[in-house]
Amino acid sequence: MRSVYCGEVNESHIGQEVTLCGWVNRRRDLGAVIFLDLRDREGIVQVVYDPDFPEVLEKANTLRNEFCVQVKGKVRARPEGQVNKDMATGAIEVLGLELNILNKAAPLPLTLDDHQKNSEEQRLKYRYLDLRRPEMTERLRFRAKVTSAVRESLEAQGFMDIETPILTAATPEGARDYLVPSRTHKGNFFALPQSPQLFKQLLMMSGMERYYQIVKCFRDEDLRADRQPEFTQIDIETSFMTADQVMEVTETMIRDLFTKLLNVDLGDFPRMSYAEAMTRYGSDKPDLRNPLELVDVADILKDVEFKVFSGPANDEKGRVAVICVPGGAEKFSRKNIDEYGKFVGIYGAKGLAWMKVNDRAAGMEGIQSPILKFLPEDVVNGLLERTNAQSGDIIFFGADNYTVVTEAMGALRLKLGEDLDIVSDEWKPLWVVDFPMFEEVDGHMHALHHPFTAPSELTAEELEANPIGALSNAYDMVLNGCELGGGSVRIHDQAMQAAVFRILGISDEEAEEKFGFLLEALRYGTPPHAGLAFGLDRLVMLMTGATSIRDVMAFPKTTTAACPLTNAPGKANPAQLAELGVEIVAQEQKSEE
């Protein structure tokens, strides 16, 4: 139906007749002449209808935005002075000779000119219209290029694309499973995979050695801008490779992506321990573009009479940390400081103490703070030296249990960086390594990654003797404050896997029920293996500058895991439920008091 895409018509076509297909992006009626901006996925070209062809001009007068049309015409150079240098096809235009209206468009339920006028609910309900916007089209095109480049890079390194099942057994991986009732096994359920974790390990046991898959994963969890109930992973697993080798392979892949698609050299990928990241940045995915850091000062404040500081400073589970903000003494009013106090309260902090360094050379006279009366001069001097505070700076204090201080001050660091516009526009990648193997929550041990992660250089006996002090052989790739992907060396020894299950409180019976096939497979010459999974949606979001993964997915869900386009999830037919052996039990309505 077409001879060339709209966005590909150029000066080499001058004098030629072309056939174009697309949508009316804009129509301008100047009386005797009608200008049409015709759009397809490759771009926009200007079509001109003039009085020399009255029948076609009359037909063009009936066009409205988003009519789907076929245009036949002759390409010519634009008149002198009318060249549009901001438009890829701005040097030419097409004289319309024929016009075929393929389909009319009703008045649109949303605007395509300024999508910010549309609610997200509108954009998702009429996603097929929203995706016509060049910005959205380009993001999906870019996503396709990413997946193509990923395949090219991994297959060049000997990886095989192998599919794994979607209907599988439920396994505990940190989020709720989506369950699918079985018709043929009434009363039993499949689960949609949170990741292909167990299957890719089984593939290593099968001798595949280098596996990858661009695969859908499903997690029934609370959502936010970078989470969806169904998302896409670049899943990678290897045999006979160390953690360093896996990191090298996947770093090469990411480097290739950025070089090929963005012409960006990511430079060095420094390595940082989990402990250092939490200490300096209050996050296990630190944004290194922000120059602000957390500084621990508990040792300086242990003996002060001010219990707000000395209490946590003397508590092994407490923390006292500060952020020194250059120039903040002059930039922040008391109102600004109070707003930051409310902000850290979101993370459990009871308040935000502060100290302005108006004049460092003036000693205590140059310091302004409501807590200054509680702090001896040697303590204040120690704080100034530890933070390298200069005249005009402000110091913010966080003092509480370790978790509250780390989360609150880490979040404050990010907000300060954004408010002060001090976050650079560079790409800052790094590897975060040496994660704790376990974390204790309400007296129960939980795997920080997943229960198949191997400890770092420990025997099963040593691990059980001191699980809370164990480090895992895990690694996360972080870019600009986002976790691009995470992975680990896997457990390939049955005794070690059993020890981890015991630490996690998983009984032998439960382990056999949920992981019996894996435990059985570990008995038959399982090779050492390791892997990593990248979030494709998040990667594309970063590379395109989008602010939400919903803007790089064709048909995403809302933050309540619903689809306005298809009205999913919906009610099931009673006959279907009966066939599945499922009964809907109505929740009792609370009686009004």
Side-chain angles (χ1 to χ4, degrees):
M1 292 184 70
R2 63 155 62 94
S3 63
V4 64
Y5 281 105
C6 296
E8 294 178 349
V9 183
N10 56 48
E11 290 169 282
S12 69
H13 294 98
I14 291 176
Q16 298 179 23
E17 287 195 5
V18 295
T19 303
L20 309 170
C21 292
W23 289 267
V24 176
N25 192 68
R26 189 169 63 138
R27 172 182 162 278
R28 289 161 289 155
D29 187 348
L30 302 186
V33 178
I34 291 177
F35 289 94
L36 198 71
D37 285 348
L38 190 65
R39 183 193 73 244
D40 60 21
R41 74 171 199 181
E42 300 299 330
I44 295 175
V45 67
Q46 178 172 282
V47 181
V48 183
Y49 294 98
D50 65 29
D52 291 341
F53 304 93
E55 290 184 6
V56 182
L57 179 65
E58 184 179 351
K59 198 170 187 180
N61 193 44
T62 68
L63 297 177
R64 297 294 182 269
N65 284 3
E66 298 309 307
F67 274 33
C68 185
V69 300
Q70 181 189 53
V71 169
K72 293 184 180 181
K74 180 174 287 189
V75 181
R76 65 187 187 188
R78 288 202 188 189
E80 189 174 347
Q82 295 184 22
V83 172
N84 185 346
K85 295 181 179 179
D86 296 327
M87 193 175 176
T89 60
I92 56 89
E93 61 187 16
V94 177
L95 175 63
L97 304 176
E98 295 181 33
L99 174 61
N100 181 18
I101 299 176
L102 301 174
N103 208 330
K104 295 181 179 180
L108 299 184
L110 72 173
T111 174
L112 302 187
D113 294 331
D114 185 0
H115 76 278
Q116 294 182 343
K117 293 181 180 179
N118 307 316
S119 68
E120 185 165 66
E121 187 82 9
Q122 284 177 298
R123 291 181 58 203
L124 297 184
K125 182 175 178 62
Y126 299 100
R127 190 62 161 182
Y128 47 87
L129 296 177
D130 187 52
L131 290 177
R132 290 183 188 176
R133 292 191 294 116
E135 179 183 36
M136 296 299 292
T137 301
E138 186 53 40
R139 285 173 180 166
L140 291 188
R141 184 203 306 272
F142 188 88
R143 182 182 176 117
K145 291 179 180 178
V146 169
T147 58
S148 177
V150 164
R151 294 184 188 281
E152 182 180 344
S153 177
L154 291 176
E155 288 170 10
Q157 298 182 73
F159 284 83
M160 291 191 293
D161 181 1
I162 305 175
E163 293 181 352
T164 54
I166 293 298
L167 296 177
T168 182
T171 56
E173 293 195 40
R176 288 178 291 273
D177 289 308
Y178 279 102
L179 299 178
V180 180
S182 170
R183 177 185 60 82
T184 53
H185 301 276
K186 284 186 173 61
N188 293 293
F189 294 82
F190 293 106
L192 303 182
Q194 294 187 33
S195 79
Q197 182 61 47
L198 297 182
F199 286 107
K200 64 186 181 184
Q201 288 191 247
L202 291 171
L203 286 170
M204 296 304 100
M205 299 170 189
S206 305
M208 298 300 103
E209 292 210 13
R210 295 195 177 197
Y211 141 94
Y212 87 94
Q213 186 182 185
I214 298 176
V215 60
K216 281 289 186 185
C217 301
F218 307 86
R219 293 179 187 174
D220 186 6
E221 59 185 346
D222 295 332
L223 307 179
R224 56 177 185 247
D226 59 350
R227 282 187 180 173
Q228 280 279 292
E230 53 179 315
F231 57 96
T232 306
Q233 256 181 209
I234 305 169
D235 207 47
I236 299 169
E237 196 78 7
T238 69
S239 296
F240 307 112
M241 291 181 71
T242 64
D244 286 343
Q245 289 172 319
V246 173
M247 293 163 74
E248 181 181 350
V249 165
T250 52
E251 185 177 315
T252 296
M253 182 192 79
I254 295 298
R255 283 179 183 279
D256 289 348
L257 277 180
F258 274 77
T259 301
K260 182 176 181 178
L261 301 182
L262 296 181
N263 195 28
V264 168
D265 180 0
L266 288 177
D268 295 332
F269 281 53
R271 295 191 185 185
M272 182 181 297
S273 71
Y274 171 88
E276 181 182 355
M278 299 302 284
T279 298
R280 294 174 60 188
Y281 304 105
S283 172
D284 61 357
K285 46 182 183 296
D287 188 346
L288 300 186
R289 299 172 303 163
N290 183 339
L292 300 179
E293 293 190 17
L294 279 62
V295 179
D296 282 320
V297 294
D299 58 315
I300 299 175
L301 296 165
K302 278 187 174 182
D303 299 323
V304 300
E305 294 182 4
F306 192 41
K307 298 299 183 184
V308 171
F309 287 168
S310 60
N314 288 283
D315 185 346
E316 62 178 15
K317 294 184 178 180
R319 185 178 186 187
V320 185
V322 300
I323 299 175
C324 180
V325 183
E330 299 171 356
K331 294 176 181 176
F332 296 142
S333 66
R334 184 58 187 267
K335 180 182 178 182
N336 297 140
I337 295 172
D338 289 343
E339 288 173 350
Y340 288 129
K342 293 177 182 177
F343 175 78
V344 296
I346 297 171
Y347 300 89
K350 300 179 183 68
L352 184 66
W354 55 274
M355 179 185 293
K356 286 186 176 183
V357 185
N358 295 323
D359 185 356
R360 175 82 187 261
M364 294 291 279
E365 295 297 321
I367 306 298
Q368 177 189 354
S369 173
I371 61 169
L372 191 60
K373 58 187 176 183
F374 301 114
L375 304 178
E377 185 171 357
D378 63 324
V379 168
V380 173
N381 288 333
L383 292 169
L384 298 179
E385 291 176 12
R386 177 72 58 85
T387 59
N388 193 30
Q390 305 297 318
S391 297
D393 295 352
I394 188 171
I395 300 172
F396 289 114
F397 294 76
D400 209 307
N401 69 60
Y402 179 87
T403 300
V404 167
V405 171
T406 303
E407 291 183 356
M409 297 300 279
L412 178 63
R413 169 183 175 267
L414 295 179
K415 182 164 179 58
L416 288 167
E418 181 181 337
D419 291 350
L420 295 170
D421 195 23
I422 56 175
V423 179
S424 73
D425 58 0
E426 304 170 89
W427 294 100
K428 288 286 189 177
L430 81 153
W431 287 104
V432 178
V433 298
D434 297 333
F435 287 85
M437 185 81 176
F438 305 102
E439 59 181 344
E440 190 172 355
V441 180
D442 298 327
H444 299 285
M445 301 294 283
H446 297 267
L448 199 68
H449 276 72
H450 55 64
F452 315 108
T453 297
S456 184
E457 301 180 352
L458 290 176
T459 65
E461 293 76 15
E462 290 170 333
L463 181 66
E464 288 196 86
N466 181 26
I468 201 65
L471 298 179
S472 65
N473 201 348
Y475 34 82
D476 281 1
M477 183 188 288
V478 177
L479 180 64
N480 292 5
C482 286
E483 178 193 329
L484 283 189
S488 67
V489 173
R490 321 302 188 189
I491 296 170
H492 71 283
D493 175 74
Q494 192 179 41
M496 179 65 78
Q497 188 64 75
V500 170
F501 284 161
R502 283 194 294 271
I503 292 169
L504 295 174
I506 299 175
S507 67
D508 291 344
E509 293 76 16
E510 185 182 0
E512 182 61 33
E513 178 187 352
K514 295 181 176 178
F515 311 109
F517 61 93
L518 178 70
L519 296 174
E520 176 73 8
L522 289 171
R523 297 175 55 208
Y524 302 113
T526 298
H529 55 287
L532 188 148
F534 290 97
L536 174 64
D537 312 296
R538 193 175 301 173
L539 174 61
V540 176
M541 178 185 75
L542 277 177
M543 295 181 77
T544 59
T547 56
S548 166
I549 62 171
R550 292 191 290 278
D551 281 338
V552 297
M553 302 171 78
F555 300 104
K557 306 290 190 294
T558 66
T559 52
T560 59
C563 176
L565 175 64
T566 62
N567 291 321
K571 302 289 185 182
N573 185 303
Q576 287 179 300
L577 293 177
E579 192 175 24
L580 292 168
V582 173
E583 182 181 355
I584 303 296
V585 179
Q587 291 185 339
E588 293 184 9
Q589 297 289 331
K590 290 185 178 180
S591 59
E592 295 184 6
E593 297 182 357

